[in-house]
Amino acid sequence: MKLEIRNLSVEIGELTLLKDINLTVSEGEVVGVVGPNGAGKSTLLKAIMGLINVSSGEIMYNDKKINGLPTYERVELGLALVPEGRHIFPNLTVRENLLLGAYVIRKDKKKVEERIEFVLDLFPWMRERLNQLGGNLSGGQQQMLAIARALMSNPKLLLLDEPSAGLAPIIVSDVYKVISTLKNEVGISMLLVDQNVKKTLEVSDRAYVLERGRLVLEGRPEELYKEDIVRAYMGVKV
Amino acid sequence: MVDVNLAQAIVNGLMLGGIYMALAVGLNVIFGVVKIVNFAQGEFLMLSMYSVYWLYALIYLDPILSIVLNIPISIFVGWVTFKYLVKDVVEKGDYVHIALTLGVSFMFIGLAQIFWKPIYRGIPTEYATWAISLGGVNIGVTQLLILLYGLFSAIILSIFFRWTDTGRAMRAVSQDVMASMLMGVNITKMYTLAWIIGILVTSLAGNFLATFYYIHPNVGQDIFLYAWFVVVFGGLGSHIGAVIGSIILGIVQSVATMYISADLSLVIVFLVFILLLLFRPEGLLGREVRK
């Protein structure tokens, strides 16, 4: 698995959401993108999934150019996004939500059952709730379900958009425990976007700082100076 | 002892409900998935009845037997109308949907009037007068068939939506388009399929309806209004709701006609409708939309 983004720009009318982004995610790597509200973090993930059109630049996945492909083909190729705000299907049961996650592998019934067992091992509490409606779960449980659902297709690269948004601190810790497990035990490559800088840098192998649509910093988490991140967030020199 | 007249009125109402049901189920599929209130749904019924009529008039094909031919014809009509009329406006919002489908409705009615003249036609079938007699209550065989067809299509579709991967994906699309895309669902394909299913279910009702009902360019409009009422009454998107709504509408209408007056029966029907919506705005079996 290799994701390579070259000179990516996204413009909507006069508005420049992303400008000349260069970013890579290699096999087994967890890459974090941090930045303040409106920096373009979600836009970046949406562009990778084909939910919004890019104006210029290239999104290369395994050395194949994928911009222009519809979203469902990108999912078939092994990309999965856990969207901001969870977006689980409220009127489908937990099990049906998981089955939807396995939509691209639906023909292989055995594989689907294996994936269900896999995510139920990750989230044992879910076993009891398989027949409950997704909408009746708590916010934290819905976030877990959104992650579990994205894992059902056995993605090669998992994109996570603000997995800690709107959750109580203790739940945030749970979510990041899951992300650590995915990193250390499953070895899945991830591109993680979050406003929670501390948690993001803790789990990332490498991180980028995004500021008003541009990548201003890149490095290993311990190399990124606190001052630079603060500047990106506050827009002032410290 | 049950009053024979009342029993007959109820049975008539059930049969009437069958007509509404067949159209409502198709309407419901399209609204449920594509989120379009198809004002031209009745015209697809009308067109189908004409194709059944001409198959009868030209090659003497029985209306029930012509189902075999009407299936591919309806699928083709559904596919063409989606591809060239509906596809580009799906994301455009309610006003555009209303304008488009109303326009299509008027266009089809106009074309039917030009080509086939606004005259009442019918297909004289041998079995149109057949009836089953149960303790003095007569059940028309052709009406029974359309009721069975309505029930059958509602059950089949419920199973399809509940238990198949494609049906489940369609329910997902109806709840959250973006999330469905992220699951790898081809949204356009789902819309196309749902539209075709909706048109097919309604069109095949035309085969059964043509065995005892008049065929006229306006036939769809008359029935559409009731079918739409049934869909709202039963709860948007709920197939079981549409079935129950059709039966209630049919029976209320039929019983009120017999015991009060035909003129007042619609007043009573719509009073029931207004009362229901006052207390359950989401309809009989509709679910409140959860965010």
Side-chain angles (χ1 to χ4, degrees):
Chain A
M1 197 300 299
K2 187 182 182 200
L3 179 80
E4 198 177 352
I5 292 171
R6 296 178 193 151
N7 303 320
L8 182 80
S9 295
V10 174
E11 287 154 16
I12 296 177
E14 299 280 292
L15 210 63
T16 301
L17 298 179
L18 291 175
K19 185 78 184 160
D20 288 329
I21 302 290
N22 286 286
L23 176 151
T24 55
V25 183
S26 306
E27 178 69 42
E29 204 181 19
V30 177
V31 173
V33 177
V34 295
N37 256 337
K41 306 189 298 292
S42 294
T43 307
L44 175 64
L45 296 191
K46 283 181 178 163
I48 296 172
M49 290 310 293
L51 293 173
I52 51 171
N53 293 327
V54 305
S55 313
S56 62
E58 287 170 334
I59 304 169
M60 308 291 291
Y61 176 73
N62 291 341
D63 298 319
K64 189 182 165 227
K65 189 175 165 183
I66 60 165
N67 34 335
L69 290 186
T71 303
Y72 64 87
E73 283 185 30
R74 302 186 199 205
V75 178
E76 284 165 5
L77 285 175
L79 298 173
L81 167 65
V82 180
E84 184 179 8
R86 310 187 277 268
H87 283 272
I88 56 140
F89 301 108
N91 289 327
L92 296 187
T93 64
V94 170
R95 188 180 160 80
E96 287 174 325
N97 267 279
L98 294 177
L99 289 175
L100 246 298
Y103 188 75
V104 294
I105 56 162
R106 63 190 179 282
K107 302 232 160 71
D108 190 346
K109 299 289 172 212
K110 198 168 149 261
K111 176 104 177 280
V112 174
E113 287 308 316
E114 277 171 28
R115 293 307 293 174
I116 288 182
E117 281 309 310
F118 170 78
V119 300
L120 289 181
D121 283 346
L122 267 178
F123 308 98
W125 61 268
M126 228 176 256
R127 209 176 280 275
E128 310 291 310
R129 311 215 167 205
L130 282 175
N131 294 320
Q132 271 189 23
L133 291 181
N136 291 344
L137 299 179
S138 70
Q141 289 170 333
Q142 289 188 4
Q143 184 62 58
M144 302 293 189
L145 177 58
I147 296 173
R149 187 182 62 176
L151 290 169
M152 284 298 295
S153 62
N154 197 13
K156 305 289 166 282
L157 174 63
L158 183 66
L159 312 175
L160 292 139
D161 194 357
E162 303 280 359
S164 70
L167 298 178
I170 185 159
I171 312 286
V172 173
S173 296
D174 287 346
V175 170
Y176 272 89
K177 260 181 224 155
V178 169
I179 294 172
S180 297
T181 308
L182 289 175
K183 177 188 176 181
N184 299 324
E185 289 169 32
V186 186
I188 182 170
S189 317
M190 284 183 269
L191 180 58
L192 168 65
V193 152
D194 209 333
Q195 285 194 57
N196 192 327
V197 181
K198 186 166 169 282
K199 290 282 183 193
T200 307
L201 294 185
E202 268 172 23
V203 77
S204 299
D205 297 313
R206 218 151 43 75
Y208 295 86
V209 179
L210 195 61
E211 185 189 349
R212 275 176 282 165
R214 288 160 205 268
L215 287 176
V216 290
L217 280 173
E218 184 210 336
R220 301 178 63 80
E222 58 274 20
E223 296 164 1
L224 292 175
Y225 293 107
K226 224 178 183 170
E227 292 76 22
D228 291 319
I229 295 175
V230 170
R231 187 182 56 77
Y233 271 77
M234 311 303 283
V236 289
K237 276 209 165 78
V238 183
Chain B
M1 164 120 191
V2 185
D3 181 14
V4 174
N5 286 335
L6 178 63
Q8 183 69 55
I10 290 173
V11 167
N12 290 349
L14 270 173
M15 304 295 137
L16 194 59
I19 302 176
Y20 303 145
M21 202 183 293
L23 198 64
V25 168
L27 206 53
N28 226 346
V29 174
I30 291 178
F31 179 78
V33 180
V34 197
K35 296 280 188 287
I36 288 183
V37 176
N38 182 16
F39 282 93
Q41 190 80 6
E43 279 54 65
F44 287 99
L45 178 73
M46 180 269 287
L47 288 179
S48 161
M49 288 174 83
Y50 271 103
S51 90
V52 172
Y53 176 82
W54 289 114
L55 284 171
Y56 169 80
L58 298 176
I59 57 172
Y60 209 68
L61 196 63
D62 177 85
I64 304 286
L65 290 181
S66 62
I67 287 178
V68 183
L69 283 178
N70 209 8
I71 290 174
I73 294 174
S74 309
I75 290 174
F76 180 72
V77 169
W79 178 75
V80 168
T81 48
F82 187 83
K83 189 170 161 72
Y84 294 103
L85 292 172
V86 183
K87 192 178 161 192
D88 294 327
V89 302
V90 171
E91 317 269 313
K92 293 272 157 68
D94 294 344
Y95 298 125
V96 179
H97 297 163
I98 293 170
L100 176 87
T101 58
L102 264 181
V104 169
S105 160
F106 290 143
M107 182 182 77
F108 283 165
I109 293 173
L111 289 174
Q113 284 177 345
I114 292 168
F115 289 123
W116 305 315
K117 305 283 179 283
I119 47 176
Y120 289 88
R121 298 166 196 264
I123 300 176
T125 54
E126 200 186 315
Y127 43 83
T129 52
W130 290 2
I132 301 165
S133 191
L134 274 178
V137 177
N138 287 318
I139 305 168
V141 169
T142 51
Q143 282 121 307
L144 184 63
L145 277 180
I146 199 167
L147 174 66
L148 292 177
Y149 170 74
L151 285 171
F152 174 79
S153 49
I155 291 168
I156 292 288
L157 283 172
S158 297
I159 292 171
F160 170 76
F161 280 109
R162 182 85 176 78
W163 296 107
T164 68
D165 289 317
T166 309
R168 196 181 302 116
M170 283 189 185
R171 280 195 292 148
V173 171
S174 81
Q175 291 174 38
D176 193 325
V177 172
M178 188 196 76
S180 306
M181 289 167 86
L182 290 173
M183 300 299 108
V185 177
N186 181 343
I187 306 294
T188 311
K189 204 167 141 191
M190 291 300 135
Y191 284 159
T192 313
L193 203 56
W195 180 269
I196 291 175
I197 292 173
I199 299 301
L200 180 68
V201 169
T202 292
S203 296
L204 297 191
N207 287 80
F208 296 99
L209 200 56
T211 57
F212 64 93
Y213 214 75
Y214 63 87
I215 298 159
H216 185 274
N218 286 338
V219 65
Q221 282 212 309
D222 299 344
I223 303 176
F224 168 79
L225 197 68
Y226 294 116
W228 179 238
F229 158 91
V230 158
V231 169
V232 176
F233 187 89
L236 288 169
S238 165
H239 300 294
I240 307 298
V243 168
I244 296 172
S246 308
I247 290 172
I248 292 177
L249 172 64
I251 290 178
V252 169
Q253 207 178 336
S254 167
V255 171
T257 304
M258 180 166 285
Y259 285 95
I260 303 164
S261 88
D263 299 330
L264 275 177
S265 74
L266 281 185
V267 176
I268 292 161
V269 162
F270 282 95
L271 264 178
V272 173
F273 182 49
I274 290 166
L275 280 176
L276 177 97
L277 289 190
L278 274 177
F279 294 104
R280 265 191 81 83
E282 68 273 24
L284 216 51
L285 293 183
R287 263 196 280 224
E288 279 178 79
V289 182
R290 255 191 299 257
K291 292 282 177 192

